[in-house]
Amino acid sequence: MRMIYGDSIVSTVAKLCITANYKLRTDVKQSLKIAGRREKGLAKYALKTILENIDIAAKEHIPICQDTGMAVVFLEIGQDLQVKGNLIEAVQEGVRIGYKNGYLRSSVIDEPLGERRNTGDNTPAIIHTNITAGDKLKIAILPKGFGSENASALQMFKPTDSMKKIENFIIETVRKYGPNACPPLIIGVGIGGTFEKCAELAKKSLTRQIGKLNKDLNSRKLEKRLLKKINSLGIGPAGLGGKTTALAVNIETYPTHIAGLPIAINISCWALRQAQAVI
Amino acid sequence: MRKIKLPLEDKVLNSLKIGEIVLLNGIIYTARDAAHKRMIKKLPFDIRGQVIYYAGPTPAPPGRVIGSCGPTTSARMDIYTPLLLKMGLKGMIGKGNRSSDVIKATKKYKAIYFVAIGGAGALLSKKIKSAKIIAYRNLGPEAIYKLEVEDFPVIVGIDSFGKNIFKKSSGRVYSAF
Ligand code: SF4
């Protein structure tokens, strides 16, 4: 059985936190560039500023955005892999070190309804684990800012509800909260599963590269339709008006119960940050 | 692009219209959720005529004035804003739309709301020439910083006549969280 040590997980996670916050995903940057070409006026100005910001961040080593997020970590653990030490604690320690050494902001507070004291090291991170085949550990980190996290929503629809009602829920969520969530947005949609599974699907869908087609034909069609409708809302880059309210709609589905149809929307700002590694 | 000197002179302030891009020069103060909650009980500095920037920067690495420092969502400060405007606050910088109460108060007290491009923390940090914590140090990133800015780019979002750019762009005004 292959064995890895906690230390290597700590250092990998620390590095990923830093990389993600200084260097934007290339597919997102590319998509912003293309959007800039079709806009004019304030929308063009906003996109130009955003693109300049992305370059400054990478070249001068300044975090892309001051909200360096709550660290969302996806772990895919090969079932033939043995981890020496405490895996979860190693990930938390990696986040602690990464945020400190990378001069990233500590944005996590302890008791949500209590005193809301800052934990000082951006932990705990949100860790999702999944057991897969093989003997490798795949780590993906998404620092998630809350300007856009706050714009997210989940609703339990009935199987008899119309497609129109579901689409309206998604579009109205974007219309209401979009201007505050730093558009152009990437809209993650989870369909099916249970209450919590649906939310996770929406988050997970944000990891799909922009431009990479959905394997499911029905989802692909729905993505296209929703993107068109969302971009006709006129919210535009930075909410100042324009054609580009969203860069992409990404849908992930999962089987669900005969009585249910959960729909979750997880909104990401244009600063969709992500870094991953395989150990 | 017009260069604007801070504190804002009434004549200049009243000449600013929604959608205009301007470059701010002078002093601004950061304050976000936790600071606002405290401020309305007891003001830690004289806000009369001043501009508040809704922001919480990343820590400054050695040799730098400040870390990344872009705007946070303004709407979360909406419940405190009319009172601060009544107390003499003149300007606000943030991202996103505002409640109708804030729009009304902005008009009533002849103030102004500027929009900074959300997420552009790296670019905006370069326009900050000095930074000093003046209150609530224990709040960490939510402390109040006094910032000296040079050519800090913003867009007029709500002008002193109560005109609102978000109404223009998406056709509706929302009071979101
Ligand atoms: S919503 Fe995204 S880009 Fe905007 S401030 Fe938050 S993390 Fe930054």
Side-chain angles (χ1 to χ4, degrees), chain A residues 177-229:
Chain A
Y177 304 125
N180 294 342
C182 294
L185 312 167
I186 296 90
I187 318 283
V189 180
I191 302 177
T194 48
F195 184 77
E196 84 288 2
K197 175 73 183 178
C198 189
E200 194 182 326
L201 287 172
K203 171 83 44 36
K204 194 85 195 274
S205 76
L206 296 174
T207 61
R208 199 178 91 212
Q209 298 277 304
I210 294 178
K212 193 169 168 217
L213 292 181
N214 198 320
K215 287 195 197 98
D216 177 59
L217 200 62
N218 282 333
S219 298
R220 201 191 293 175
K221 278 190 200 148
L222 180 57
E223 285 174 354
K224 217 174 148 193
R225 198 160 65 236
L226 285 169
L227 183 63
K228 205 169 160 207
K229 285 189 180 168

Side-chain angles (χ1 to χ4, degrees), chain A residues 258-277:
Chain A
I258 43 173
L261 179 49
I263 306 278
I265 312 164
N266 191 214
I267 292 188
S268 173
C269 45
W270 62 260
L272 174 48
R273 291 150 288 178
Q274 182 184 344
Q276 59 259 316

